[in-house]
Amino acid sequence: MRQRRTSVKASRPTVPSAASVAVVRRLKTELRAVQQALAQAESDRRLGERRFRSVFNQQFQFMVILSPQGKVTRYFYGIGYDGEFDLAG
């Protein structure tokens, strides 16, 4: 059986239109803004987590965290006694 030869013609590179270039630039700008907002949100989340943990871990009295269903997920009683409950079981 003979193999067919296929020829590939080189095409000229196309020059993007001004509208296409403008769209790409706008999308890049929007992407940068979204990335910055995401980075800021992550930074805010970490700060909130640090604040929460510092308050939770420095209490001298009994403290618990409840799930929305009312189950204890984490407890703290006095200095240095911190525990987590496994909700899977």
Side-chain angles (χ1 to χ4, degrees):
M1 183 179 255
R2 290 179 69 192
Q3 289 183 346
R4 288 187 181 177
R5 286 189 175 179
T6 57
S7 62
V8 177
K9 293 183 181 180
S11 61
R12 286 183 158 187
T14 58
V15 177
S17 67
S20 298
V21 171
V23 167
V24 169
R25 284 185 182 152
R26 190 192 72 204
L27 290 174
K28 283 183 178 181
T29 302
E30 289 177 11
L31 178 61
R32 269 190 239 110
V34 168
Q35 288 172 331
Q36 289 172 351
L38 185 60
Q40 182 63 43
E42 179 64 19
S43 174
D44 293 346
R45 185 197 63 78
R46 286 183 181 164
L47 177 62
E49 179 74 16
R50 276 197 309 272
R51 287 179 180 165
F52 169 78
R53 288 192 182 278
S54 69
V55 168
F56 185 80
N57 291 332
Q58 294 178 13
Q59 291 297 313
F60 295 106
Q61 50 192 300
F62 184 71
M63 182 185 283
V64 296
I65 297 177
L66 301 175
S67 71
Q69 294 78 25
K71 295 183 179 180
V72 175
T73 60
R74 193 159 182 181
Y75 64 91
F76 183 83
Y77 187 72
I79 298 174
Y81 188 69
D82 185 12
E84 287 190 45
F85 285 94
D86 182 16
L87 295 178

